[in-house]
Amino acid sequence: MDMMATLVEHGMLLESAKGPIPNVATLVAGEPIRGSWWGHPKGHEIYGVINDLGDSPDVVRLRLVNGKITVVHRRVWPALVQLVEHFKPAQLAALREEHTPSGAHRVIDVAFPDWVPQDVAQSATGLTDDEAWSMLPECLRPRRN
């Protein structure tokens, strides 16, 4: 499975958490995972795919869906820019990992809109709110009565 193509199609995927949109770990495993994906026979493959996605300049990692790590493709970034007032700042902070001198991992939050490229911000100005909402999964859209 070409995970980048799947991400482009969906616009965003959860990294490994269960939720209202597909997650990378389950897609790579090809089956539901019980417990930690690290213990799954495809754990190393899952780790590689997650890292490959995260290393792409066309992907940002946010805590967007249910506060869980969500990989978001560049094609939907303009929608997030247009609809920024509908999200909490923590949902739109980009997560970047770095290795400390001791070898530990540290996650750094990059505040929105500091991670947004200028061309994405510019393209957002041409979107209506309805167009922007239509780019996002149903679980992020406001409920209509």
Side-chain angles (χ1 to χ4, degrees):
M1 168 180 285
D2 180 347
M3 197 58 61
M4 184 60 79
T6 302
L7 177 58
V8 170
E9 176 188 343
H10 289 274
M12 61 185 70
L13 301 168
L14 289 168
E15 206 171 75
S16 61
K18 291 178 177 75
I21 61 173
N23 78 60
V24 174
T26 300
L27 291 169
V28 172
E31 63 185 6
I33 298 173
R34 294 182 148 207
S36 170
W37 59 263
W38 271 113
H40 191 275
K42 291 190 176 180
H44 289 291
E45 185 179 347
I46 293 166
Y47 179 78
V49 171
I50 287 171
N51 282 327
D52 288 347
L53 289 173
D55 289 343
S56 171
D58 293 329
V59 175
V60 67
R61 295 169 69 232
L62 308 171
R63 291 191 189 279
L64 185 59
V65 176
N66 296 339
K68 304 298 182 184
I69 298 177
T70 311
V71 289
V72 182
H73 191 268
R74 185 184 190 103
R75 82 167 179 81
V76 299
W77 297 355
L80 297 176
V81 172
Q82 176 63 24
L83 300 169
V84 63
E85 70 275 359
H86 297 278
F87 297 99
K88 297 174 185 163
Q91 287 179 281
L92 297 179
L95 306 172
R96 301 257 164 83
E97 288 188 18
E98 70 175 26
H99 294 279
T100 64
S102 69
H105 284 220
R106 176 172 49 201
V107 176
I108 297 172
D109 289 357
V110 179
F112 181 90
D114 295 348
W115 60 265
V116 177
Q118 185 58 41
D119 64 306
V120 171
Q122 184 63 37
S123 66
T125 63
L127 286 177
T128 66
D129 281 5
D130 285 343
E131 290 168 332
W133 284 120
S134 74
M135 296 169 70
L136 300 180
E138 193 72 36
C139 64
L140 292 176
R141 298 178 194 168
R143 295 183 188 169
R144 306 209 189 246
N145 295 333

